[in-house]
Amino acid sequence: MKKTITILAAMIAQATVFAQESVKDTLTEKVPFEGQDQTWQNGADRRTSPPVLATKYFTGSVMIDVNYTHSFNNPNDNTVVGSTALARNNEFQLSSANIGGDFYYEGARGRIMTQFGTRSTVVPRNDYSVYRGQYQLDNVYRYLSEAYAGYHFKKWYGINVDAGMFMSYIGLNSYYQVENWEYQASFTSDNTPWFFNGVRVQVFPNKHLKLEGWIINGWQSYGKFNSMPGFGGNITWCPNEAVKLLTNDYYGTDAAGLKNRIRFHSDNSLLVRYYNQPKAKGISRAAFSTTFDLGFEKGDGVGGFNGDANNPSQYFLSGMVYNRVWFNQNKMAWTIGGGYMTNPGRYLVLYPTGDASPLPNPTNPTQTAGTHPFSANPGDEFKGWDCSTNFDYMPNQSITFRAEFVHREANVPYFAGSGGVTSPTGYTTTPLPSDWKPDLVKMENRIIFAILFRI
């Protein structure tokens, strides 16, 4: 009996010491951006209270994104062209179901988020690195949106070293729609990466600043296009909770089989909350975000910004601006905005689906195969602009009901017209007549209804 009491006393003493050390660690841990309300930011978690599925070693997360969209072009195959958020017209679609969370133990950390739904096809199809080598990387990774392991060092306001697949910040918008002000992203976001595969180091030297470096396989690529990896980084500065300024910069070789063609890209955003009365029943908050991107490819037949007849210009210029106003204690919001993109060479344009196949041409890695491929030859122009407006109803921090109108235009036929991009009947089982071709048009208007859940 005495032995049992002694053992119990020792266990209680040990637990007390452990609890005291845990409290001490918590009190001394410096948290970056602590005390700042960042729930208003485009591309950020809008939850104001701690996650429900939180324990000492694990914080769980569940996100569900369901949409219904109608294109006024009424394509006969219901296929959406030129979007990573949408896949099918006039149908209820489970765009994404994400389940996972964060694990942590004495500095060790890991994150796993699965993805199921149309996004597990829509996004991987745009990665052409998977055609180099074997093992079908687009199938191996397609059901993961994030998965990485790393370590947190208690230096300054924290240092994180992570390896695996993690989210990109290029283009401002989050990969998870529940964090974004708009559903259909502007060209700037939709044509830039949603994920990176590699290693990152995050350094928080003070409360308001994050410095981040990357060594990655490439530009939204599961594998490498050539022998050199991609390099890049992010700087985020939040001098106070009403302002966020960030820049992302990238350098790599991301043209399949063209090892001397380099790519540079710079992405820059400013977010400002210019009104904040969270308890007001009228206008409770207002903010705007603006993003400007520039980039180029140079070498192996293209000339960046200064092209000529032998080496045509191949670059990317784009920008977008959005303004959002919240009402009724932030339970409702109205957003309006849009953007513009020019991309000679079309090296970042999302290829149309259907007979304009995204598969690389085996004899020319800068072109696509198919009976009627959407060309991406050096010098091919692409210009697009878009605008949208939406209304959100957010009765609590875990649910958003969204209705959105989107207008998009391009200088070349690009969006699905009434004839669709599959076949005369819209079915893949229908043989293609010799005179048939995908019906691509220069403009589309659409309405989107979405339910976004997060816990």
Side-chain angles (χ1 to χ4, degrees):
M1 183 68 177
K2 290 182 179 180
K3 185 177 181 180
T4 302
I5 293 174
T6 302
I7 293 173
L8 288 174
M11 292 176 62
I12 293 171
Q14 186 177 6
T16 302
V17 171
F18 179 80
Q20 290 173 344
E21 289 178 349
S22 298
V23 171
K24 182 179 179 181
D25 288 343
T26 301
L27 293 175
T28 58
E29 176 78 2
K30 295 180 179 180
V31 180
F33 312 117
E34 186 177 19
Q36 294 188 7
D37 175 13
Q38 298 185 340
T39 61
W40 60 271
Q41 295 175 2
N42 192 8
D45 188 348
R46 74 174 183 86
R47 292 176 294 178
T48 56
S49 59
V52 176
L53 306 177
T55 66
K56 182 176 180 180
Y57 299 111
F58 174 71
T59 298
S61 181
V62 177
M63 288 177 282
I64 300 174
D65 172 3
V66 180
N67 71 61
Y68 181 95
T69 182
H70 170 74
S71 169
F72 289 90
N73 292 340
N74 287 305
N76 69 345
D77 59 354
N78 284 4
T79 299
V80 177
V81 168
S83 174
T84 58
L86 304 166
R88 306 273 294 184
N89 290 295
N90 303 323
E91 299 173 2
F92 291 98
Q93 291 293 300
L94 175 62
S95 179
S96 186
N98 305 95
I99 302 173
D102 297 280
F103 301 82
Y104 24 81
Y105 178 73
E106 295 184 354
R109 58 192 236 128
R111 179 172 175 82
I112 298 175
M113 288 301 296
T114 62
Q115 68 171 8
F116 301 95
T118 57
R119 274 207 156 188
S120 64
T121 297
V122 169
V123 173
R125 71 175 285 271
N126 297 311
D127 175 17
Y128 309 114
S129 73
V130 299
Y131 300 110
R132 182 189 186 206
Q134 302 296 317
Y135 300 113
Q136 296 182 316
L137 296 183
D138 54 339
N139 288 330
V140 170
Y141 290 126
R142 74 185 334 149
Y143 298 113
L144 293 171
S145 60
E146 296 178 83
Y148 59 79
Y151 194 81
H152 172 75
F153 297 89
K154 295 181 180 180
K155 174 69 174 177
W156 299 313
Y157 276 77
I159 298 175
N160 300 322
V161 179
D162 302 312
M165 186 189 306
F166 43 88
M167 294 290 95
S168 158
Y169 319 106
I170 295 179
L172 184 64
N173 277 28
S174 168
Y175 184 65
Y176 304 119
Q177 294 287 14
V178 70
E179 297 184 339
N180 295 329
W181 290 358
E182 78 283 9
Y183 195 90
Q184 172 55 56
S186 183
F187 284 112
T188 298
S189 289
D190 225 11
N191 292 268
T192 49
W194 289 121
F195 67 87
F196 289 142
N197 207 9
V199 176
R200 72 177 180 190
V201 178
Q202 299 175 319
V203 179
F204 301 88
N206 60 54
K207 184 177 179 179
H208 305 283
L209 181 65
K210 179 182 76 170
L211 307 175
E212 181 171 319
W214 318 319
I215 302 176
I216 55 182
N217 288 343
W219 182 271
Q220 188 165 293
S221 60
Y222 297 123
K224 288 195 298 185
F225 290 94
N226 299 292
S227 59
M228 190 186 86
F231 301 92
N234 163 269
I235 301 175
T236 299
W237 181 50
C238 298
N240 56 64
E241 71 174 36
V243 176
K244 181 178 183 179
L245 184 65
L246 63 92
T247 181
N248 301 279
D249 298 280
Y250 172 84
Y251 177 86
T253 58
D254 299 286
L258 300 175
K259 63 180 181 179
N260 296 316
R261 181 175 295 184
I262 61 98
R263 174 181 298 172
F264 172 78
H265 195 95
S266 180
D267 165 79
N268 308 277
S269 295
L270 170 67
L271 298 90
V272 176
R273 188 189 65 195
Y274 56 88
Y275 182 83
N276 188 42
Q277 296 292 333
K279 295 183 179 181
K281 292 186 177 180
I283 296 177
S284 51
R285 190 160 62 188
F288 73 84
S289 71
T290 179
T291 298
F292 173 73
D293 281 31
L294 63 89
F296 64 86
E297 287 194 333
K298 191 170 185 178
D300 275 342
V302 296
F305 286 100
N306 301 307
D308 54 34
N310 296 322
N311 297 284
S313 295
Q314 187 140 305
Y315 60 85
F316 183 93
L317 288 175
S318 73
M320 63 183 192
V321 178
Y322 287 89
N323 190 79
R324 185 168 173 90
V325 180
W326 289 257
F327 307 89
N328 191 23
Q329 300 178 342
N330 300 330
K331 292 183 178 180
M332 300 178 182
W334 170 59
T335 302
I336 187 170
Y340 173 82
M341 176 186 78
T342 180
N343 186 198
R346 304 178 182 178
Y347 69 96
L348 291 185
V349 176
L350 300 173
Y351 289 132
T353 36
D355 196 43
S357 168
L359 294 175
N361 185 330
T363 62
N364 187 343
T366 67
Q367 296 180 350
T368 53
T371 310
H372 304 88
F374 185 80
S375 67
N377 295 314
D380 284 351
E381 285 194 355
F382 186 91
K383 297 179 180 179
W385 74 274
D386 61 89
C387 60
S388 66
T389 186
N390 67 41
F391 183 82
D392 287 352
Y393 174 54
M394 301 165 286
N396 60 52
Q397 67 176 9
S398 292
I399 194 79
T400 299
F401 299 92
R402 177 168 296 169
E404 181 169 298
F405 173 79
V406 182
H407 173 84
R408 298 196 294 173
E409 289 192 24
N411 68 319
V412 295
Y414 178 68
F415 307 102
S418 60
V421 295
T422 303
S423 74
T425 65
Y427 287 86
T428 57
T429 54
T430 301
L432 299 181
S434 59
D435 61 345
W436 183 87
K437 63 179 182 179
D439 182 18
L440 298 180
V441 297
K442 294 184 177 181
M443 182 183 73
E444 75 167 11
N445 292 309
R446 68 172 58 254
I447 297 176
I448 302 168
F449 300 98
I451 299 176
L452 307 170
F453 171 83
R454 181 178 202 166
I455 193 170

